Amino acid sequence: MSVDLSQFIPSFLEESFEGLEIMESGLLNLKPGDNEVIHSIFRAAHSIKGGAGTFGFENVTDFTHLVETLLDEMRDGRREITKEDTEILLESVDCMRLLIEAARDGEDYDSEKIESTSKRLTITLGEGCARDESSEPEQAQQASHNAQYHINFVPEHCLAKTGNDPLFLFNALTELGNLSLAANTSELPALTDIDPQELYLSWQLTLATDASEDDIKEIFEWVEDECLLEITQQAAPNTNTPAEANRTDDLPVETTTQPEQQAAVDKDDASTNVAEKDKGKAKSKAKSDVGSIRVGVDKVDSLINLVGELVITQSMLSELGSDFHMSKIEKLTSGLEQLLQNTKELQESVMRIRMLPISFAFNRFPRLVHDLSIKTGKEVELVIKGEQTELDKTVMEQIGDPLVHLVRNAVDHGIEPAEVRIAAGKKQQGTISLDAYHQGGNIVIEISDDGGGIDRNAVFNKAFEKGLIESNASLSDSQVYDLLFEPGFSTASEVTDISGRGVGMDVVKRNIQALGGRIQVESTKGQGSTFKVNLPLTLAILDGQLVKVGSETYIIPLISIVESLQIDKELLNRVSGDMVLYRLRDDNVPILPIYQLFNLEADFTELDNALLVVVEADGQKVGLMVDDLLAQQQVVIKSLKDNYQQVAGVSGATILGDGSVAMILDIPGMIQMALNNAQHAQTLQTKASYGELMS
């Protein structure tokens, strides 16, 4: 009888990734004479090699064999543990991860990187002609200089809606070298069919640069899931034959010299691209479908016990219902209360299954900080706290990239060079702290550094130069730091390959907001900065405040609410554009009547003594005028986009206990709607005034 080994491959892959984490963590902390650590690293590599051989992943086996041999020499004492060897092993872990991911996804991998690292391992082991082969990587590196890349960039139509602007990407590419581009307009619809929020163009770009392919990919890292990106290295411009040079020069012109042929080519390319995109989506979907989660046996046992309790309660209620009379009303009430309790405990138990320690997201940062320290020449210590704080798996997967960006910025811009720190009386080694903890039903992640802090005046002046604020604007520190999240905003005097182009912080904020969270910045010049990310524990359930407007019930996320109050007319102040401000201590809070935004008939339209729910988003407070405050409760979020369509000012819907549907308000979206309305009213008022003057 034959056994289908393929059924065990997912377990092998999962254990291999855990083994890689053990190897990486061990290598980052490896010191000479630390035999226990080197043994654990060797065992992890040996297990991966053995499993890969069993399932026929020969490339993983061959590569890991070299790694295992080097580790074997270290654990036997035949080789000293050196920093150079540790770096090669860390690079080898990256290669093993590439190979295993390729085996999991059925995709190609970077064979050049694997081959280059294999040669370095072989040279280190002394199994080849070290001198001759060691020169090859240098020659390869030199050959990559003055390279020319052809980039096929086909964004999805929804790219612009996610806050990404191709112009920023192209500007960043021009900083790497000479860029020429040709736009493909074949998917551009008729003028009457154009949705101004959609992106219909794709581009063929040619970049002559000294930068590496990784540098180019880094520019596209925020949009890589929302586009088809193909980067092909071509011959260096200065080594092209005349014919090749002419062909290269013709690239942008091809779209205009032979429009009919090019249109046909574009159409074919577009079809191919769509097919490839669909294939990519299918792969991504397949990848997400096979995602798994490890759950502790105690959690599963708890779930089974609760299901047993639920079955008992259901049996009791069924028996009661088959022979019910009013004398059993007390028993029925008791049974329903028991059912309510069982349901609540079952819900909490199921939600706990999706909760994972945030260490799954934090584990990548020791390696990241290690690599950035080498790259920037700065000494940086990473301190991690609260790694056992639990967070929903979906939130965990989506918060990883924004945290990476914040940590990269902290190393590159936050921590000062050693000589500056010493001159300022600080330790030569800088410190970056990652801390996670629960607060008020949410999770807070803090990324702190003890660097030079944010220069408030530099941010203010840069914002004024870019026309974001007036020179006499009176802004709090929080409002000034919030300008850092404006698209393309950067105060960095020098653009590095790590950060400084200002193409990331706006996306960080948008991604956090998309998770229903918010980000705040605190900084003290000379002492450091703290970025505080506040996230909901889960995306499936929301703590909300139910409010009544006319005959409708809406839900305001509790995380957005600052306070609720009754309006005192003495504190009202009308300004231009029919905007009404409410004096709330040191703030002037604009009032947004919900009935006006959604064209409803409200019970109360007068401001005097009306109820106001003050909410905050994007560092801006507004007061939502409602008819009545109802209960606070947890609600299950249903996507409007999946079930109906996206509605401005509404982030989702839920079904209440009485079976009615209630909309969940999108606070940032509502603030934007109100600002747009105010701007429109101001424009109309200006036109009317101008008309009166002219008449």
Side-chain angles (χ1 to χ4, degrees):
M1 183 179 67
S2 63
V3 177
D4 181 12
L5 289 178
S6 63
Q7 62 182 311
F8 303 114
I9 290 179
S11 298
F12 158 71
L13 295 172
E14 196 166 343
E15 290 171 2
S16 295
F17 287 122
E18 290 178 1
L20 291 174
E21 286 185 6
I22 292 172
M23 292 178 67
E24 188 171 87
S25 173
L27 288 167
L28 289 172
N29 298 299
L30 187 61
K31 295 175 183 174
D34 202 344
N35 293 331
E36 185 57 36
V37 175
I38 198 69
H39 276 291
S40 69
I41 298 171
F42 176 84
R43 285 194 296 270
H46 186 71
S47 298
I48 293 172
K49 175 188 164 187
T54 303
F55 296 109
F57 300 128
E58 298 300 332
N59 50 5
V60 179
T61 307
D62 295 341
F63 186 86
T64 310
H65 176 71
L66 293 173
V67 178
E68 189 187 53
T69 305
L70 184 56
L71 289 168
D72 190 39
E73 292 184 3
M74 287 181 173
R75 70 170 187 158
D76 288 349
R78 284 175 284 159
R79 175 184 292 274
E80 291 185 2
I81 298 172
T82 63
K83 187 177 179 182
E84 291 74 18
D85 289 349
T86 303
E87 292 301 323
I88 292 174
L89 287 169
L90 280 170
E91 190 177 326
S92 301
V93 170
D94 294 339
C95 292
M96 291 167 66
R97 185 174 284 113
L98 275 179
L99 291 168
I100 294 171
E101 286 175 348
R104 177 195 64 188
D105 302 334
E107 296 178 343
D108 296 332
Y109 53 85
D110 186 351
S111 57
E112 289 185 12
K113 181 178 176 63
I114 304 298
E115 188 177 347
S116 170
T117 309
S118 295
K119 285 180 179 175
R120 291 184 62 197
L121 280 168
T122 305
I123 293 168
T124 303
L125 290 167
E127 292 180 359
C129 181
R131 182 170 299 176
D132 292 342
E133 293 190 4
S134 63
S135 65
E136 290 184 12
E138 295 178 3
Q139 291 170 2
Q141 192 175 358
Q142 288 172 0
S144 69
H145 291 171
N146 297 317
Q148 182 164 283
Y149 293 90
H150 177 251
I151 304 168
N152 181 25
F153 176 48
V154 186
E156 294 185 359
H157 289 182
C158 62
L159 183 77
K161 290 181 178 177
T162 60
N164 292 295
D165 188 342
L167 186 59
F168 292 139
L169 303 175
F170 300 156
N171 286 339
L173 286 173
T174 57
E175 294 173 6
L176 298 182
N178 296 324
L179 178 70
S180 61
L181 57 87
N184 181 357
T185 59
S186 61
E187 293 192 21
L188 196 63
L191 186 60
T192 54
D193 297 332
I194 289 181
D195 182 345
Q197 296 185 3
E198 297 279 351
L199 184 60
Y200 300 98
L201 301 180
S202 60
W203 288 270
Q204 301 286 325
L205 304 102
T206 303
L207 177 67
T209 178
D210 289 336
S212 67
E213 186 172 329
D214 288 341
D215 293 332
I216 300 173
K217 286 180 178 175
E218 185 185 351
I219 291 175
F220 290 92
E221 65 178 350
W222 286 105
V223 299
E224 60 184 6
D225 294 333
E226 297 167 328
C227 72
L228 170 68
L229 182 67
E230 295 173 340
I231 303 175
T232 310
Q233 185 174 358
Q234 299 177 330
N238 55 0
T239 58
N240 283 347
T241 63
E244 288 172 335
N246 290 336
R247 189 177 60 194
T248 303
D249 293 340
D250 286 341
L251 272 176
V253 185
E254 286 178 359
T255 54
T256 55
T257 51
Q258 298 176 342
E260 294 180 0
Q261 294 177 5
Q262 187 60 39
V265 171
D266 287 344
K267 188 175 180 181
D268 291 340
D269 287 345
S271 301
T272 306
N273 293 339
V274 169
E276 290 181 2
K277 275 198 296 183
D278 289 343
K279 194 187 296 181
K281 286 180 180 176
K283 282 184 179 176
S284 299
K285 188 174 186 301
K287 206 182 292 185
S288 60
D289 286 344
V290 299
S292 62
I293 183 170
R294 285 197 170 188
V295 180
V297 176
D298 58 329
K299 290 183 178 179
V300 177
D301 288 343
S302 171
L303 192 61
I304 292 173
N305 288 336
L306 285 171
V307 170
E309 293 288 331
L310 194 63
V311 170
I312 293 171
T313 306
Q314 184 264 335
S315 300
M316 181 188 73
L317 290 173
S318 296
E319 185 178 336
L320 197 62
S322 62
D323 183 26
F324 180 75
H325 50 81
M326 292 306 293
S327 63
K328 296 182 179 180
I329 188 69
E330 189 174 344
K331 198 172 181 181
L332 176 63
T333 304
S334 174
L336 289 174
E337 288 177 354
Q338 185 63 40
L339 180 64
L340 180 66
Q341 183 66 23
N342 290 152
T343 306
K344 186 177 179 183
E345 291 180 1
L346 188 61
Q347 173 198 329
E348 291 174 351
S349 187
V350 170
M351 295 307 297
R352 277 202 299 271
I353 283 182
R354 290 187 55 85
M355 304 296 274
L356 296 173
I358 201 167
S359 57
F360 281 89
F362 281 0
N363 281 345
R364 70 176 74 175
F365 294 112
R367 175 67 188 282
L368 178 69
V369 172
H370 170 83
D371 291 349
L372 291 175
S373 298
I374 295 174
K375 207 165 189 174
T376 59
K378 299 176 181 176
E379 289 187 36
V380 184
E381 179 190 15
L382 178 65
V383 178
I384 294 179
K385 302 175 187 173
E387 58 266 44
Q388 293 305 315
T389 307
E390 291 193 330
L391 185 64
D392 185 277
K393 180 174 182 285
T394 305
V395 180
M396 182 101 62
E397 290 170 345
Q398 296 183 32
I399 196 59
D401 288 342
L403 291 182
V404 167
H405 198 88
L406 292 173
V407 171
R408 288 164 66 99
N409 269 358
V411 176
D412 198 25
H413 299 309
I415 302 295
E416 316 97 316
E419 60 273 16
V420 176
R421 292 183 64 84
I422 292 172
K426 295 182 179 179
K427 287 194 306 180
Q428 182 172 332
Q429 184 183 49
T431 302
I432 292 177
S433 301
L434 283 174
D435 191 7
Y437 55 89
H438 286 129
Q439 185 179 66
N442 298 302
I443 185 171
V444 179
I445 304 172
E446 291 186 359
I447 303 96
S448 308
D449 67 72
D450 67 344
I454 300 172
D455 187 338
R456 184 188 189 282
N457 293 333
V459 176
F460 187 95
N461 294 334
K462 190 72 177 180
F464 171 65
E465 286 176 19
K466 294 176 74 70
L468 298 173
I469 57 173
E470 300 293 337
S471 61
N472 58 352
S474 176
L475 302 178
S476 65
D477 288 348
S478 174
Q479 289 172 317
V480 171
Y481 298 147
D482 211 43
L483 293 167
L484 295 170
F485 299 103
E486 291 293 326
F489 192 96
S490 175
T491 58
S493 56
E494 182 180 353
V495 174
T496 70
D497 57 350
I498 299 173
S499 57
R501 297 187 181 93
V503 294
M505 292 297 280
D506 58 323
V507 185
V508 167
K509 186 173 184 178
R510 285 179 184 278
N511 287 359
I512 291 171
Q513 287 178 337
L515 291 169
R518 63 173 185 268
I519 182 168
Q520 298 169 287
V521 186
E522 298 171 359
S523 183
T524 304
K525 192 171 182 181
Q527 297 182 23
S529 307
T530 297
F531 288 77
K532 189 179 291 186
V533 179
N534 201 310
L535 294 167
L537 286 176
T538 175
L539 298 181
I541 293 179
L542 174 142
D543 290 315
Q545 168 70 55
L546 277 63
V547 297
K548 182 171 175 289
V549 181
S551 59
E552 301 292 332
T553 300
Y554 291 98
I555 309 232
I556 302 175
L558 276 184
I559 193 173
S560 303
I561 297 178
V562 178
E563 63 181 290
S564 302
L565 52 89
Q566 194 165 29
I567 292 178
D568 179 355
K569 67 177 181 180
E570 299 295 327
L571 300 176
L572 294 174
N573 183 25
R574 293 187 181 276
V575 294
S576 59
D578 289 335
M579 178 70 75
V580 181
L581 302 179
Y582 188 76
R583 186 70 182 169
L584 183 65
R585 293 181 286 278
D586 294 332
D587 288 336
N588 282 307
V589 179
I591 295 178
L592 306 181
I594 293 180
Y595 75 90
Q596 284 186 0
L597 285 176
F598 294 126
N599 293 323
L600 301 172
E601 291 188 4
D603 296 339
F604 300 99
T605 57
E606 297 297 327
L607 291 174
D608 191 17
N609 289 326
L611 287 173
L612 201 64
V613 181
V614 180
V615 295
E616 183 174 16
D618 295 343
Q620 187 166 2
K621 291 177 185 171
V622 296
L624 301 178
M625 182 177 155
V626 301
D627 288 348
D628 198 6
L629 293 174
L630 305 178
Q632 292 181 1
Q633 69 178 64
Q634 288 188 328
V635 296
V636 179
I637 304 171
K638 301 289 184 185
S639 168
L640 266 187
K641 189 177 180 181
D642 293 343
N643 297 290
Y644 176 54
Q645 65 179 28
Q646 197 67 44
V647 177
V650 176
S651 62
T654 192
I655 300 174
L656 300 177
D658 61 0
S660 62
V661 176
M663 299 296 150
I664 301 169
L665 297 180
D666 171 19
I667 303 302
M670 292 184 69
I671 292 175
Q672 191 59 47
M673 283 174 64
L675 291 175
N676 293 341
N677 292 344
Q679 189 175 14
H680 181 65
Q682 182 69 38
T683 304
L684 292 178
Q685 189 175 12
T686 304
K687 287 182 178 177
S689 301
Y690 180 76
E692 290 175 2
L693 285 174
M694 294 302 291
S695 62

